[in-house]
Amino acid sequence: MFGNLLQNFDCTFPDINFATSTYINLVDMFCKFPFNVILIFFSDFYVVKAYWMKFGFKRFRTRFSSIMLLSLFMLPLCFCLSVLSVSSSPDYSKYFKYEFIVDEDGSAITRIIYRSNLADGSSWVLIPRFSKWSNYTVHGQVYNWTLEEPEGYTGLQYYFYKVLKFHYFASSGNQFEMIVEYNFTSAAMIIEPDGIFYSPQIGFEGGSGFEATVIFPSIFKVNLNEALALGNRNSYPPDRGASNSSFVLFRNLPLTENLLRIEVGFKVSGRNADFINLESGTFKFITVKRYESYAWKILNLYNSTYDVLANLFNTTLEELDSKGEKTVTVRFFIPDFYSLMSVGGYVPFTGEGMGDIHINFIFTRYVEGYLEVIALHELVHHFLWKAGVSPKKLLWFHEGMAQHVSIEVAERIGYEGASMIKQEIEEGVQQLRAVISDNFGFLMEWTPSYTPRDLNTLYAAAYYVVARLAEEYGGLDYYAKFFSLLGGMKVEDNAALCYYLGLAAGDAGESVINKLNAWGFGTVDLYAYLPLISEVKAAINDVDSTNPLLQPFKYFAELIYKSVMSGERMIAERAALFLLVALLIARFAPLIALLTYSSLIFASILLILRLKGVL
């Protein structure tokens, strides 16, 4: 749902250190030579070492002479190939080269090399807004630079980036080269054996030449079928001839593509996931060790909002289950390559209960508040289930409530991202209403196994209904009253749901039903039977609970009453009849009990007499 807000997406960055910068320089040096030639020289080194150890100095000296001759032959060839490689590349007056060097924990050094053959000129590039970056010139001189907002250059408001605008003079020979470097945490997200690299935002002056390389540790095995440069207009595969399982090259993209991300899927070999269990209050978080701090952030959020949610939903989540385990378990997950940001989180539903909470780790890189809203959204599903609302038949209400409540609670805490999400959804709602007006009846068809519309439409419509009811009838206090009236009763259908929503509005209850029907719900109006419902409930409560002879009849009256109030359509459509039956059973329970037990006694006496042969 939040995938459209890519300009609000990225993480924070620690400082660059000298060692990593040196490593980049070495990588850049090797990348200037054909990859197969490099392998030959590395092979020579290992041959030398092997012969020295196995055969001693004399045989090594003989072999070393032949190896040196081979190397002397290969050096000119390597030089010629590198010259041909350079000369065959397009001749751009402005050229940006991006390098991403990924370490085994997923952090990456980002290096941007800008080259120009103009005597003097200017250009711009996106750089991180909230973290340190460095730049230096290799050839020429920068005589003026400014930091500016990206919107004027890109048309978008990038939350995590600013534009570095720079003016320069070239050195003799019209050569200018400048390098920008910064570190980027969680560039590759890893839960062994799965991993996805997703670059920081790439942005530079349009019409410039561009290439990008991503260099991985040897234990990461890239799937080149899951490697794309994601531009504004299209997606572009890597240069397969120059790429391999740890080195991915993108080049020869259209000059119109100057705002990109690079996504690469990979597997981790030779290393198992280092899972740890974190427990706090009602909750347990299972995570890999490297993401422990993110897990604690969510656990602390859950504990700080638990009382608010418990009061709202008029229920609590048991701390331990029958096996002594925490009842709510949370996990991070790495999404599928092609659905990177389409799913923020999920809770499996088996029909018997709610499963573990799963949170997409990539949202740790968003503006603060996005991850928190997703985490709260999934937790609300657990509270709704415990309060008696099943997602099986009322999925629209589950999702609408989860979205509305999570945003409202996160906004009250002060998360900036929550307000941004709310604004995005509200804009989507207005666009939706412009197309379908206020006809949201399709929401009633939404189940875990069937989606009558696309998910964006369903989520937006569900949020709109829940949020507008809250807006008109008292905010979260309105829903707190709703769950208080529900009192743990299971709600199985829209008829019962609408009844309690109307009841929570007090004197304005009839308007709630009218509003829902105007939105296309068209449910059975149980609210019309409010006086009868109240009378039945009072009659059931009046049955003496201390008299064991009356309890079976009280149970039958409650069973009929709850069947009507659950909203089961076959019963709700004959609500008046079933309510009258329940009322008669409860009101005349002593008389019915007397007649029933007298009949049973009389029948028993007749049976005994017949067995004795008297009759």
Side-chain angles (χ1 to χ4, degrees):
M1 178 168 292
F2 312 120
N4 293 329
L5 290 178
L6 293 183
Q7 61 267 34
N8 300 323
F9 166 84
D10 266 324
C11 56
T12 55
F13 322 88
D15 295 342
I16 294 177
N17 57 49
F18 174 77
T20 54
S21 297
T22 304
Y23 177 61
I24 286 178
N25 292 328
L26 289 172
V27 170
D28 183 53
M29 178 183 71
F30 283 121
C31 288
K32 295 180 187 298
F33 293 90
F35 189 76
N36 57 336
V37 176
I38 294 172
L39 289 178
I40 290 173
F41 284 115
F42 279 124
S43 300
D44 281 355
F45 170 76
Y46 287 114
V47 169
V48 169
K49 183 176 180 181
Y51 268 89
W52 178 281
M53 295 177 65
K54 185 173 182 180
F55 299 109
F57 177 74
K58 288 184 179 179
R59 294 191 65 178
F60 162 74
R61 183 171 55 190
T62 304
R63 290 288 180 178
F64 181 72
S65 300
S66 62
I67 292 168
M68 285 298 295
L69 288 172
L70 176 62
S71 299
L72 288 173
F73 170 77
M74 291 303 298
L75 276 171
L77 176 61
C78 173
F79 175 77
C80 292
L81 288 172
S82 63
V83 169
L84 287 172
S85 175
V86 172
S87 62
S88 63
S89 62
D91 182 19
Y92 299 108
S93 60
K94 298 180 179 183
Y95 198 85
F96 285 89
K97 178 181 179 182
Y98 279 71
E99 294 177 348
F100 304 100
I101 316 298
V102 184
D103 68 21
E104 293 188 357
D105 279 327
S107 294
I109 298 166
T110 300
R111 187 185 199 201
I112 308 168
I113 305 168
Y114 173 74
R115 297 188 178 103
S116 173
N117 59 13
L118 300 176
D120 62 89
S122 65
S123 192
W124 63 266
V125 65
L126 288 179
I127 58 169
R129 183 188 297 265
F130 300 117
S131 59
K132 292 184 178 180
W133 52 276
S134 63
N135 73 292
Y136 56 93
T137 55
V138 180
H139 302 289
Q141 178 183 354
V142 173
Y143 66 86
N144 185 34
W145 62 271
T146 56
L147 294 178
E148 302 179 26
E149 290 301 319
E151 189 172 11
Y153 294 84
T154 66
L156 298 170
Q157 296 178 344
Y158 287 101
Y159 183 89
F160 283 102
Y161 298 91
K162 297 201 79 169
V163 162
L164 171 62
K165 174 76 173 183
F166 55 95
H167 300 260
Y168 56 86
F169 293 125
S171 61
S172 59
N174 287 347
Q175 292 186 36
F176 176 80
E177 181 174 338
M178 183 183 75
I179 297 175
V180 177
E181 294 178 353
Y182 58 88
N183 230 16
F184 191 89
T185 58
S186 299
M189 295 147 286
I190 310 162
I191 300 179
E192 289 85 350
D194 299 316
I196 288 182
F197 170 83
Y198 196 70
S199 75
Q201 181 64 52
I202 297 170
F204 52 87
E205 182 183 8
S208 304
F210 167 77
E211 71 174 78
T213 58
V214 188
I215 302 169
F216 293 95
S218 59
I219 63 170
F220 294 178
K221 305 302 180 184
V222 168
N223 179 0
L224 290 178
N225 292 322
E226 294 186 350
L228 289 172
L230 308 171
N232 278 351
R233 295 168 177 81
N234 210 337
S235 298
Y236 307 93
D239 184 334
R240 287 179 172 269
S243 302
N244 56 50
S245 63
S246 59
F247 178 88
V248 185
L249 172 64
F250 296 89
R251 60 185 174 186
N252 299 326
L253 274 62
L255 294 178
T256 53
E257 295 285 15
N258 68 317
L259 299 172
L260 305 106
R261 296 272 189 171
I262 290 175
E263 182 181 358
V264 181
F266 60 89
K267 295 290 185 182
V268 181
S269 63
R271 186 176 75 187
N272 295 322
D274 182 18
F275 285 112
I276 57 173
N277 292 342
L278 309 175
E279 296 188 4
S280 182
T282 305
F283 309 101
K284 176 171 72 174
F285 207 119
I286 301 175
T287 179
V288 288
K289 178 70 175 175
R290 73 176 62 85
Y291 299 144
E292 180 178 0
S293 62
Y294 296 104
W296 275 117
K297 187 176 181 181
I298 292 174
L299 287 176
N300 291 336
L301 172 70
Y302 279 179
N303 285 317
S304 66
T305 57
Y306 182 84
D307 289 341
V308 173
L309 296 176
N311 291 332
L312 171 61
F313 293 102
N314 192 38
T315 189
T316 58
L317 303 176
E318 291 88 352
E319 184 166 343
L320 299 175
D321 61 17
S322 58
K323 299 179 181 179
E325 298 286 336
K326 298 290 184 180
T327 56
V328 181
T329 299
V330 192
R331 305 170 186 268
F332 287 127
F333 73 94
I334 302 297
D336 177 78
F337 179 83
Y338 293 102
S339 60
L340 188 63
M341 285 167 283
S342 61
V343 178
Y346 66 92
V347 177
F349 174 65
T350 62
E352 299 179 356
M354 307 302 289
D356 294 350
I357 293 174
H358 294 76
I359 298 172
N360 187 343
F361 183 78
I362 197 169
F363 284 91
T364 61
R365 289 172 51 171
Y366 268 67
V367 178
E368 189 176 39
Y370 276 76
L371 178 70
E372 288 75 10
V373 167
I374 291 169
L376 289 170
H377 178 113
E378 305 308 332
L379 181 59
V380 167
H381 283 305
H382 274 267
F383 273 101
L384 283 165
W385 168 258
K386 187 69 188 305
V389 182
S390 170
K392 186 176 182 180
K393 296 182 179 178
L394 295 170
L395 185 56
W396 76 266
F397 188 69
H398 249 265
E399 295 298 349
M401 279 294 295
Q403 196 72 318
H404 175 66
V405 171
S406 61
I407 290 172
E408 291 298 310
V409 172
E411 267 196 317
R412 292 182 182 185
I413 296 173
Y415 289 116
E416 182 180 1
S419 300
M420 298 168 72
I421 294 171
K422 186 174 184 178
Q423 180 181 349
E424 170 75 6
I425 295 175
E426 290 290 351
E427 290 173 357
V429 165
Q430 296 310 313
Q431 295 171 6
L432 176 63
R433 293 181 67 203
V435 175
I436 66 172
S437 187
D438 284 342
N439 183 16
F440 302 125
F442 56 83
L443 286 173
M444 294 190 296
E445 303 173 32
W446 189 13
T447 68
S449 60
Y450 177 68
T451 54
R453 301 287 182 93
D454 65 276
L455 287 176
N456 285 338
T457 296
L458 292 169
Y459 275 95
Y463 168 84
Y464 175 78
V465 172
V466 170
R468 290 304 172 269
L469 289 177
E471 188 178 277
E472 189 158 340
Y473 298 106
L476 291 183
D477 290 339
Y478 165 66
Y479 285 112
K481 187 174 182 180
F482 164 81
F483 286 105
S484 177
L485 290 168
L486 204 59
M489 182 179 293
K490 299 294 183 184
V491 179
E492 301 289 346
D493 195 86
N494 285 283
L497 177 68
C498 293
Y499 167 75
Y500 282 106
L501 288 173
L503 202 61
D507 295 338
E510 191 67 35
S511 69
V512 173
I513 305 302
N514 293 336
K515 188 178 291 293
L516 288 166
N517 286 330
W519 283 332
F521 282 79
T523 60
V524 177
D525 186 3
L526 292 177
Y527 194 79
Y529 304 107
L530 180 58
L532 183 57
I533 290 170
S534 300
E535 194 173 353
V536 172
K537 191 173 183 180
I540 292 172
N541 291 333
D542 287 341
V543 177
D544 187 0
S545 59
T546 63
N547 188 337
L549 297 177
L550 300 180
Q551 297 317 299
F553 306 100
K554 182 177 182 178
Y555 170 78
F556 283 125
E558 284 183 330
L559 184 63
I560 296 170
Y561 171 77
K562 288 181 178 179
S563 296
V564 174
M565 299 313 297
S566 70
E568 284 188 52
R569 181 162 291 275
M570 291 184 62
I571 296 176
E573 288 176 349
R574 299 173 179 81
L577 175 62
F578 282 100
L579 287 171
L580 282 172
V581 171
L583 178 62
L584 289 172
I585 293 173
R587 182 72 57 80
F588 297 104
L591 178 59
I592 296 172
L594 177 61
L595 293 173
T596 302
Y597 293 132
S598 299
S599 299
L600 288 172
I601 293 171
F602 182 70
S604 298
I605 292 172
L606 289 176
L607 179 62
I608 292 170
L609 291 175
R610 177 169 291 182
L611 291 173
K612 294 290 187 180
V614 176
L615 295 178

